[in-house]
Amino acid sequence: TGANRYIIAALHWDANTSAPSITWNSVALSEIQTNNDGGEESDERALVAPASGNLTLAASWTGASNVVLGAAEFSGVDQTTPRVVADDLITTGTSTTPSITITSAVGDATLAFVTVASVPVTISADNQTRVYLVNLANLDAGMTYALGGSSNTHSWTLSDSKPWHCFGIHIKAAAVGAGGVVTPRSLGLLGVGA
């Protein structure tokens, strides 16, 4: 519900997966980015003005893998330029402290994804709100969002130093007369499987 909607979905996997696709109500989401570095992999996609209601988000891929599918929907988003592409950011590392700092603005939002190879992950105390956090035997994945600010840092704490990558986006608010503030609508984990 809400005007000027935007849905962002992420498919995280541990290995041996290719040709991912994500649909909302059988409509394909457009690829934002794919990070396929051999250990912790993800594919983020989005759809402007998604149909509202109790509909289906689905993913498909080729290969056997542990996967996590999650999504966040926001209203009050600019329908022509829903994200500030220049602010898209990927960070990678091997440590116990994955983090990403994303440029934002008043009324806008940031959304961050983390994918970790084989280690329990917990959210640290920070300015982000958890959308989901999943721990599987060979894959851990999470999504958080933050509203407003000139920049927002999203960070997690790992129980062991492991390879990770984060991807962050800046979601742009619609013009003031068109709803002007990004508002989270429906958020959550939509599937875990192999």
Side-chain angles (χ1 to χ4, degrees), residues 40-57:
E40 65 289 337
E41 304 169 8
S42 66
D43 185 78
E44 287 79 27
R45 297 183 179 238
L47 180 64
V48 174
S52 62
N54 187 10
L55 305 171
T56 301
L57 181 74

Side-chain angles (χ1 to χ4, degrees), residues 16 33 41-42 59 88 94 96 98 113 122 140 149 161 191-192:
N16 305 317
Q33 79 88 37
E41 304 169 8
S42 66
D88 285 0
T94 299
T96 59
F113 312 86
T122 56
D140 298 310
S161 182
V192 176

Side-chain angles (χ1 to χ4, degrees), residues 124-138:
S124 67
D126 201 355
N127 66 342
Q128 73 273 16
T129 301
R130 181 187 302 180
V131 178
Y132 61 84
L133 184 63
V134 177
N135 306 112
L136 302 175
N138 296 313

Side-chain angles (χ1 to χ4, degrees), residues 101-113:
T101 300
I102 310 156
T103 300
S104 188
V106 173
D108 291 358
T110 58
L111 190 65
F113 312 86

Side-chain angles (χ1 to χ4, degrees), residues 18-37:
S18 62
S21 68
I22 302 173
T23 61
W24 173 251
N25 193 36
S26 300
V27 176
L29 278 69
S30 299
E31 183 177 328
I32 295 174
Q33 79 88 37
T34 296
N35 188 356
N36 187 343
D37 57 12

